[in-house]
Amino acid sequence: MDTRILEYFLAVAREENITRAAGILRVSQPSLSRQIMQLEEEIGKPLLIRGSKHVSLTPEGLLFKNRAEEILSLVDKTKKELLNDSDYIAGDIYLASMESEGFRPLADLMARFQRRYPQVCFRVTSEHSTVIARQAEQGLVDFGLLMGEVSREKFCAVPVTISEDWGVLVPDGHPLADRAPLTADDLRPWPLICPERILENGSFARDFGQPREFQIAATYNLIGNVLTMVKAGMGAALCFFREEYAARGLRFLPLTPARGEKTAHIIWRRDHLFSQAAERFRQEICNAFSESQ
């Protein structure tokens, strides 16, 4: 069935007059009448009740009208998708991020983008920076938010300025709880839970001292389970500040001198093949942040 005949039928149903519909469609009245009768023969049911001056829909005609409107709407939507209509953006965007306050401005941008394009779904995973870089390099994610050095040969990178300082997380009643701010020397007698990445990349030794001088009780890559470990008494967790700590009955104690990582990067592989939705979001990232490549 040609979609054109659906448009013809809807015009007749809307105008309730074949002659008037023919004028709007710029076809002859006999031709339009003949095509509507052929449609009824194909359907096997009468669709119109013909009067001397107007036509009305039979129950079957009313059902067919509703379905014809749905079909034409779907055809129009499909054409927009295939033709990359600039006002129609849909699909999935894959993003990996470290757990950081640096995610906040990116989350704000994602929220604005999703309100503008409600058919877009962000697929977000939380990882540490080494994994994020590997996933972006392998094309498993469209974008990554990470700390540390970025290979400019492999990635485009947009800097995100943040201010995060190291501290330790302890439960209320811990012997360190009333001694803030703390020095690295204050931490040596106590079991520590620290991020795996700062042991791997050597920044623990640079910022705090040789790991062998401390009691490393556990390491982690994401903070979620660490909160439970701290409450269980495994040790003081070396981490960045988060507002939700207090709600969990934990206390964040800053370190002095303040040691923080100040710049994160939103990255994507230079030759990554973006979907239409991801490409539009890439443009929004570049508009929202200062691009450095």
Side-chain angles (χ1 to χ4, degrees), residues 56-74:
S56 59
L57 297 177
T58 64
E60 294 81 6
L62 180 59
L63 175 60
F64 189 82
K65 172 180 176 293
N66 293 336
R67 293 295 180 264
E69 290 172 340
E70 292 173 1
I71 291 169
L72 291 178
S73 176
L74 181 59

Side-chain angles (χ1 to χ4, degrees), residues 128-257:
H128 58 79
S129 295
T130 303
V131 174
I132 293 170
R134 184 167 63 246
Q135 290 180 339
E137 183 178 1
Q138 294 173 348
L140 300 177
V141 297
D142 298 309
F143 305 99
L145 174 67
L146 49 70
M147 290 282 196
E149 296 296 322
V150 175
S151 170
R152 300 309 173 100
E153 293 182 0
K154 297 178 180 177
F155 302 112
C156 298
V158 174
V160 180
T161 302
I162 62 175
S163 179
E164 290 195 309
D165 295 321
W166 287 112
V168 293
L169 193 63
V170 299
D172 286 333
H174 191 281
L176 293 175
D178 297 319
R179 294 173 55 182
L182 303 173
T183 66
D185 288 338
D186 292 324
L187 304 181
R188 296 180 197 276
W190 306 101
L192 287 182
I193 304 170
C194 69
E196 180 72 30
R197 64 183 175 83
I198 70 172
L199 294 177
E200 291 178 345
N201 64 25
S203 59
F204 186 100
R206 183 181 66 247
D207 291 342
F208 305 107
Q210 292 301 319
R212 64 177 178 272
E213 300 172 359
F214 295 80
Q215 301 179 47
I216 308 298
T219 64
Y220 70 92
N221 68 331
L222 300 175
I223 195 67
N225 287 333
V226 174
L227 307 186
T228 303
M229 294 161 66
V230 171
K231 293 197 72 171
M234 282 193 63
L238 187 62
C239 60
F240 292 129
F241 173 76
R242 298 289 179 269
E243 293 179 354
E244 59 265 27
Y245 294 159
R248 298 288 294 270
L250 302 173
R251 186 175 298 189
F252 180 84
L253 310 175
L255 288 169
T256 184

